[in-house]
Every structure is written in C-alpha cells, then in structure tokens.
Amino acid sequence: MNIDPVVNVLKSIAKPAASLVINQAQRNETVVRTLKQFNFDPVQPPKDVDGVYVYSLIEYGVDKPEVLLNLFREREIKNAFWSAYTSNDPLGFYNEVQKFLQGKDSEFDIRLMKIELRSELEEFGEIFIKVAKRSKSIEFQPFPKWNLDEYPTEFKSLIREKIRSFCGRQFVFDAFKQFCNKNRSGYFTVVGDAGMGKSTIAAKYVWDNKSPCYFNIRQTSSNRAELFLESIRQQLTKRYQLQNVEKANLADLLEQVSKKIPVSERLVIVVDALDEVEQEAGGNLLDLPTALPERVYFLLTRRPYTIDKKRLSAPDVPMEELDLRANDYVNLSREDIKEYIRLFLKVDEDHKKALGQWIQDRKIDEDDFVEQVATKSENNFMYLRYVLPGIAKGDYQDLSLKQLPHGLQEYYQIHWQRMGMEEKPQEAKVFILFILVRIGPISGEMIGSIAKQEQHDVELILKEWVEYLKEQNIEEQICYGIYHASFLDFLTKKTLLDEKRKLFKEVLESINAYYEQETA
C-alpha cells in the first residue's frame, strides 16, 4: 500500500522531538483511530510484510517528529529494515541508516533535535516484531532479537531511567579519561554513599559510549560472579565476533579481545555496585582479573568499604579511586546538585509548573530556593528525586521539609533491613546505633566507653555499617556519624531506638555523663 498518506496523517499529529506524551490513554486512542482511518483492524494486523510495516509505523509514529516519519517512508530504509530483520542483524540496520543519512539535511535535523537515533530504530523494530507476532503469519518467523546496542536488553530500562534527568558529573568523566590516557590499562573506581549518583554515572557512561556493562542488583539476585561472567562473555562475543569462548574465563576473554581492539581504541567495561555482590570469601569480587591486557579498562562503582572488604587486588595493574565524598569534590557535587534542581524547575514537564507555582505563592526567590534545597540535600541526588516531586505535589508548606516523602522512607527502610535490624537485634548493635543517633559524630573509643563495649567489638560493628556512616577527623580522632541528615531523621522515628525503652536507661545515663564531661 502507499505509505505517503499514512505519513502525512502522522505528520499532522506530530510533536517536537523534546515533547513527552503525558496521556498514554489519549495516545492509544489516536493510534486506534489512525489504524481504522486506513482500514486496519486494531485487533488483528495484516499478514503481508508491507501491511505490517505500515501498521507498525502507525503504532510507532504517533507523536514522533517529522524527520523520523520521513525516514521510515523511504524505500531504502524499508528494504534495509527487512533485510536486517530476516538476517537477525539489527546493528546492520543501524549502520545502513547511518550511511543513508550521511550528508543529508535530515542527519543535521536529527542531531539538532538531539534525537537518539539508535533508540528510535530499536523502538520501531520492537513494535514491528510485536505486530508480526499478532499477525500469526509464518512469513515473519523466526523472530529476531532486536537489540541495537552491544549491552544487554535487561539493563536498558534501568539505564534509560537513570539518565532521564542526568546532569553534571563531568569532573568524574574527566578524571576517568585522564586515568585512561596516562595508563595502558587499569581499574578506576567511583566511591560514594547511597544516593550520590554512582549508578547514574555508570549508566551515563554506558549510554554515551555503548560500553559492555553489568549492573549488580541485589533485589533481583543479579549479583553473582557466574551471572556477571556469562553476561560479559555474551557482550564481548557479540562485539568482537569471538569464537569458541563458551567456557572461557574473563581473563582469557580479555586476552582474545585485546587482539581485536583497533590501535586507536580502548575497551572499557562498566561494573556498577560492587558492594551488592554476593560471593564466597577469597579472590577478587566477580573474579576480576589480577592482570589486564593493554587498552582494557574497568570503570567500577561501589559504596564506601573497609580494606578487608575491598577484594580487588591486582599488584601490576594501575588503580585509582575517586571518592565523591572527598573535600576536593564537595563544591563540584554541590554545583551538580544545583543544576539538577534547576532541571526540575526549568525542564521537567511533570513538575516544573507546580514547583514554579509553589515558589511564587510563597514569594521565594528562585535562586534562594535552589540554594536552600541544595543545602538540605547534602549532595544526595536520591534525596532530591523524592523531595522535589513532593514539593510539587504540595507535601510541604515551607522549606523546612520536616516530613520525608513516602518514597524516601521506603528507600531508607531498605538500608535498615540491610543493617540487619529487622532480625532479632543484638544489644551491642542497638546500643551503638542508638548512640550514633543521639550524639555523633563520635569516636569509636567514646562509643565503647558509653556502651560499655570493647573498642575492638565496636570497630567490628562500625565496619559492618561503613557504607551508611561518614567519617570525620576531629581533633586527630576518627569520628563516626550517620551519613545523611534525612537518614538520621528516619532512624530517630524507629521504635527500636526509642529512648523510653528500658533497654536504654543505662546508655542514656552514660550519654548524659559524657555531655557533662564535655561541658565541664
């Protein structure tokens, strides 16, 4: 059938590339109406290739910018798509589209509108496959795996969600680039507290560079060495056309890959959340190699750790860490936080109007709002991800933000469970946590004196909680405190730590004695 009338109708309802479809139900109605306009059955698609292609274009094309609609109407693109479909070569389709666009005005328009071409081609292909399956025609079998990226499908939704409101963090990418430039290979680790944006940094790097990657996720049990190896093996095999590597370990895989990397390129493998890994003691986490070939690098992220839990040893491999909590990066992180807040105020379609009205109703200067909320965030992006929508919804009457949003409480509840506090509590742990909540920052020695615990035992418990604590050097003593004020606020509401419990009578007396000593 003639595709031009269909494209012309889709153009009449097209929106700019930056627009978001807010009402999915409304969009679905438009799709059904357009299908019927061209005599398609919304329930049962046609069985021929041309019909399925046009049908798919309607399902895909509602609200898409004209430049994409014009692209899919081209005969060369349609032929390239069907060739890639039948040969199960989605990346080949992407390459053919790039060749077709080269030097054309549409190539410039796509760049100008910041359209992620690879994602759009992948979305169309996925819709085509769904329509083809509904057609129940054997002509479309076998159905290909339509993945236009080298990284796994299971991480795509996570990556897209993480980068949806990404901003800043350029100092991290600059530091990693410098590390790669000055070393022939190596491990570069980004360290930071929960909510500081480590996973988002990893996702952004993968998105921009299409790097092989693995995201350790404890909740889904995707955090074991054998799963990591299998995923990376598949990614490298696909990327470098490796042969007979079904049983190869990571070190052997990297050796084979190193022979295929062009001289002007390097391989960067991104691994997020080493702290989430579950693995028996002994050896490196995820069995990361103790030696790396030239031009092979790992970009890792993890929460703070003690030296005994580092579990990454490679004596002859360059290693570097960037700690987001370090004084050198505090001001840079704060600028990123402020940019993130402004993103909500100026760009975010879901919240900018309500936030603007909230500020206007209270006659608050916008810059003052940004500064105050940035200060309260303590450079924690996760805090802002929940608090800013909460402000937009009217959960707060002023900037005191005394009540935490429901979502953030759930986030902290996960921390609480990971600290083992939902299990039958041990008195020593409860005493120490109670002291940290009541005082802090405080030295391990002082905690031991108040709780009447051996300092060694105190240090062991503090090590278990290192990722939830921040260390400060006060008068040449290492002191510990809860890492974020909002997390501290959450802890104070826990009945387990209620000072009225008989359990804490003696501890409170010790704390009072400590205060008297400090003020004497």
Side-chain angles (χ1 to χ4, degrees):
M1 65 176 295
N2 189 353
I3 200 172
D4 290 341
V6 175
V7 171
N8 290 335
V9 168
L10 291 174
K11 282 182 180 182
S12 69
I13 53 178
K15 294 183 179 180
S19 296
L20 298 175
V21 178
I22 298 174
N23 191 330
Q24 185 63 37
Q26 188 178 25
R27 184 188 190 280
N28 292 340
E29 289 177 6
T30 305
V31 169
V32 170
R33 186 170 60 252
T34 308
L35 287 170
K36 289 181 177 179
Q37 182 177 344
F38 291 95
N39 299 318
F40 285 117
D41 184 343
V43 177
Q44 180 59 55
K47 296 182 181 296
D48 63 294
V49 175
D50 287 346
V52 169
Y53 187 87
V54 176
Y55 193 108
S56 302
L57 184 58
I58 292 172
E59 287 207 3
Y60 161 83
V62 171
D63 286 343
K64 293 294 184 181
E66 288 189 22
V67 65
L68 290 176
L69 299 174
N70 287 332
L71 178 67
F72 282 106
R73 82 191 301 171
E74 297 287 350
R75 180 172 295 277
E76 293 95 326
I77 298 302
K78 178 185 173 184
N79 291 340
F81 173 79
W82 183 242
S83 175
Y85 181 97
T86 53
S87 59
N88 194 11
D89 184 21
L91 283 174
F93 177 51
Y94 175 63
N95 293 334
E96 288 300 316
V97 172
Q98 283 190 308
K99 289 179 184 177
F100 176 83
L101 289 172
Q102 194 169 8
K104 292 183 170 63
D105 290 341
S106 50
E107 179 185 32
F108 174 77
D109 291 338
I110 287 172
R111 290 180 180 176
L112 183 66
M113 290 188 283
K114 297 182 179 179
I115 294 173
E116 178 55 48
L117 181 62
R118 191 187 295 246
S119 295
E120 296 296 335
L121 300 181
E122 182 168 89
E123 182 182 344
F124 176 81
E126 290 171 346
I127 290 174
F128 185 95
I129 292 169
K130 289 178 182 178
V131 174
K133 288 179 178 179
R134 285 162 50 201
S135 76
K136 299 179 181 178
S137 171
I138 61 172
E139 184 174 5
F140 299 100
Q141 298 180 19
F143 303 110
K145 294 181 179 179
W146 200 256
N147 182 1
L148 270 72
D149 291 306
E150 288 83 355
Y151 57 86
T153 302
E154 62 262 31
F155 297 137
K156 286 192 173 183
S157 59
L158 180 151
I159 291 170
R160 286 172 180 165
E161 172 59 25
K162 291 291 184 183
I163 68 167
R164 187 171 65 89
S165 300
F166 182 87
C167 65
R169 316 317 263 169
Q170 189 58 45
F171 67 92
V172 178
F173 301 125
D174 289 345
F176 178 57
K177 183 178 180 180
Q178 292 173 11
F179 172 79
C180 294
N181 288 341
K182 70 182 181 183
N183 296 291
R184 295 183 175 180
S185 63
Y187 289 106
F188 185 92
T189 305
V190 178
V191 179
D193 292 323
M196 294 190 79
K198 302 181 301 299
S199 295
T200 303
I201 289 169
K204 178 63 173 174
Y205 190 90
V206 171
W207 180 265
D208 286 348
N209 299 280
K210 309 304 175 190
S211 298
C213 63
Y214 195 82
F215 290 79
N216 291 286
I217 306 171
R218 183 177 298 172
Q219 292 94 322
T220 60
S221 299
S222 305
N223 59 343
R224 302 196 305 276
E226 63 271 20
L227 297 177
F228 163 75
L229 175 59
E230 180 61 26
S231 178
I232 294 298
R233 182 191 289 131
Q234 291 178 4
Q235 293 176 63
L236 295 179
T237 299
K238 180 178 180 180
R239 183 181 296 254
Y240 295 103
Q241 292 79 52
L242 302 180
Q243 302 293 326
N244 303 317
V245 294
E246 293 79 7
K247 297 182 179 179
N249 60 31
L250 185 56
D252 292 341
L253 283 170
L254 296 179
E255 280 297 334
Q256 290 201 39
V257 167
S258 67
K259 300 171 184 176
K260 293 176 173 285
I261 303 174
V263 176
S264 60
E265 297 180 10
R266 57 173 65 111
L267 168 64
V268 175
I269 298 176
V270 178
V271 184
D272 181 54
L274 282 184
D275 52 279
E276 298 271 341
V277 174
E278 290 186 5
Q279 185 175 331
E280 293 182 1
N284 285 341
L285 288 170
L286 300 178
D287 299 322
L288 292 173
T290 57
L292 295 177
E294 288 190 12
R295 289 177 287 122
V296 173
Y297 303 84
F298 279 81
L299 175 59
L300 312 169
T301 76
R302 66 187 304 171
R303 293 182 185 176
Y305 60 90
T306 54
I307 191 64
D308 56 305
K309 292 186 177 181
K310 181 178 181 179
R311 296 189 64 182
L312 180 59
S313 176
D316 298 324
V317 178
M319 289 189 184
E320 187 173 311
E321 286 189 356
L322 187 154
D323 193 331
L324 295 171
R325 305 165 302 163
N327 291 335
D328 291 346
Y329 303 117
V330 169
N331 289 334
L332 293 172
S333 290
R334 182 177 173 86
E335 289 304 312
D336 289 345
I337 285 286
K338 289 160 64 175
E339 183 182 348
Y340 185 75
I341 297 170
R342 291 191 181 96
L343 194 68
F344 269 81
L345 293 174
K346 302 293 187 183
V347 179
D348 189 280
E349 295 292 338
D350 296 328
H351 303 108
K352 67 178 184 180
K353 185 176 179 180
L355 284 170
Q357 191 63 51
W358 191 94
I359 292 172
Q360 182 178 332
D361 290 347
R362 288 156 183 79
K363 296 181 174 57
I364 299 172
D365 180 77
E366 188 175 290
D367 290 338
D368 186 44
F369 174 87
V370 171
E371 290 291 342
Q372 288 196 51
V373 176
T375 298
K376 291 183 181 297
S377 76
E378 296 181 350
N379 291 347
N380 191 287
F381 285 90
M382 184 61 70
Y383 180 89
L384 295 176
R385 285 287 294 272
Y386 290 112
V387 167
L388 288 172
I391 295 174
K393 288 188 297 181
D395 291 346
Y396 307 103
Q397 296 304 310
D398 55 43
L399 279 178
S400 62
L401 310 181
K402 291 179 181 178
Q403 291 181 327
L404 291 175
H406 177 69
L408 192 55
Q409 291 219 28
E410 286 187 356
Y411 179 72
Y412 286 147
Q413 181 65 26
I414 293 173
H415 286 14
W416 178 257
Q417 291 169 347
R418 288 182 181 176
M419 292 164 76
M421 304 308 290
E422 292 292 340
E423 303 166 7
K424 187 177 180 180
Q426 302 175 24
E427 283 193 358
K429 284 187 177 182
V430 175
F431 284 163
I432 292 172
L433 186 56
F434 180 77
I435 292 166
L436 286 168
V437 170
R438 293 287 295 178
I439 310 180
I442 183 172
S443 69
E445 181 181 357
M446 187 60 70
I447 291 174
S449 298
I450 293 174
K452 295 181 172 54
Q453 300 286 334
E454 293 286 341
Q455 185 174 350
H456 173 71
D457 295 334
V458 171
E459 295 292 342
L460 287 177
I461 292 173
L462 291 174
K463 282 183 179 180
E464 290 182 28
W465 294 344
V466 66
E467 59 195 273
Y468 310 110
L469 304 176
K470 57 183 176 184
E471 296 182 7
Q472 292 178 251
N473 195 322
I474 301 176
E475 296 181 356
E476 299 185 355
Q477 273 192 314
I478 299 299
C479 296
Y480 302 89
I482 304 299
Y483 80 89
H484 195 273
S486 57
F487 187 42
L488 178 60
D489 197 11
F490 166 82
L491 292 175
T492 59
K493 297 175 183 177
K494 282 292 181 183
T495 56
L496 183 65
L497 302 176
D498 190 338
E499 66 179 48
K500 296 178 182 178
R501 294 183 63 199
K502 294 180 180 179
L503 184 67
F504 296 132
K505 182 178 179 181
E506 186 178 339
V507 181
L508 279 169
E509 291 174 354
S510 295
I511 289 175
N512 291 334
Y514 166 71
Y515 276 128
E516 290 174 3
Q517 179 183 342
E518 287 293 300
T519 56

